[in-house]
Structures are given as C-alpha cells and as structure tokens.
Amino acid sequence: SYMETKEFTKARQHFEQCTRLAPDMADGWIRLSLVLATVGDRAGSERILAEGLARCPSSPGLRMEQANRLAADGRIEEAIAAYRESFRLRPD
C-alpha cells in the first residue's frame, strides 16, 4: 500500500477519492485522517475526522479514533464518553 511505501501524497489522493466516491464508508475517513496526521497536518487530520463523524455518526471505528485522540490530548472525560459510544456501537 502507499502508506507502507511511505508514498503519502498518493495515499492521500487515494483516500480523498474514496471519501468522495463513498462518503458513508468510515474507513476512508479514518485512513485519510491518519495520512494527514502522519505527514504532520494535525489540523487537517482533525477536520477530516470531524467530517467523517458527521457523515458516519454510527461508526464505532471513527468513535474509537476520536477517543484515542482525546485521550492522547489529556481530555479524559471526553475520551471516556467517546470510548463508551464506540463500545455501544460495537459491543463485541
């Protein structure tokens, strides 16, 4: 994959196209957000994560990613709420 070969520009283009063609597919949003975070575009990464959550509010994967980032930022109460929502959406 482009991420494995560190071809981040190509990976970004690929995932941007994915979000345009399938805006209801949460994985595209998560992956695009991760590409942006990897190249140091934190603001862009956060914006894409928020857009993904707006388009796919019932995605446990997006909620988990949100929770992980909140926890990393020390926003523990918000992270707990996001983890609980992720677990509610995918209890297994």
Side-chain angles (χ1 to χ4, degrees):
S1 80
Y2 292 129
M3 288 298 287
E4 291 170 358
T5 59
K6 299 187 187 315
E7 296 177 76
F8 301 122
T9 299
K10 288 182 181 179
R12 179 180 181 168
Q13 292 168 348
H14 175 78
F15 293 124
E16 284 173 342
Q17 182 178 19
C18 179
T19 60
R20 282 192 302 275
L21 295 174
D24 59 339
M25 189 175 91
D27 285 353
W29 296 104
I30 293 169
R31 303 254 186 216
L32 179 55
S33 180
L34 291 173
V35 168
L36 294 172
T38 300
V39 299
D41 183 358
R42 182 178 172 132
S45 178
E46 294 298 324
R47 180 181 50 77
I48 290 298
L49 182 62
E51 189 171 345
L53 282 164
R55 292 181 181 259
C56 309
S58 61
S59 166
L62 282 165
R63 295 289 172 187
M64 182 67 71
E65 183 62 27
Q66 177 190 41
N68 290 339
R69 291 181 188 198
L70 289 166
D73 286 345
R75 297 166 61 183
I76 303 305
E77 293 302 317
E78 292 170 272
I80 290 170
Y83 282 125
R84 284 187 175 143
E85 181 62 9
S86 178
F87 299 151
R88 184 189 71 76
L89 291 167
R90 186 185 296 148
D92 58 340

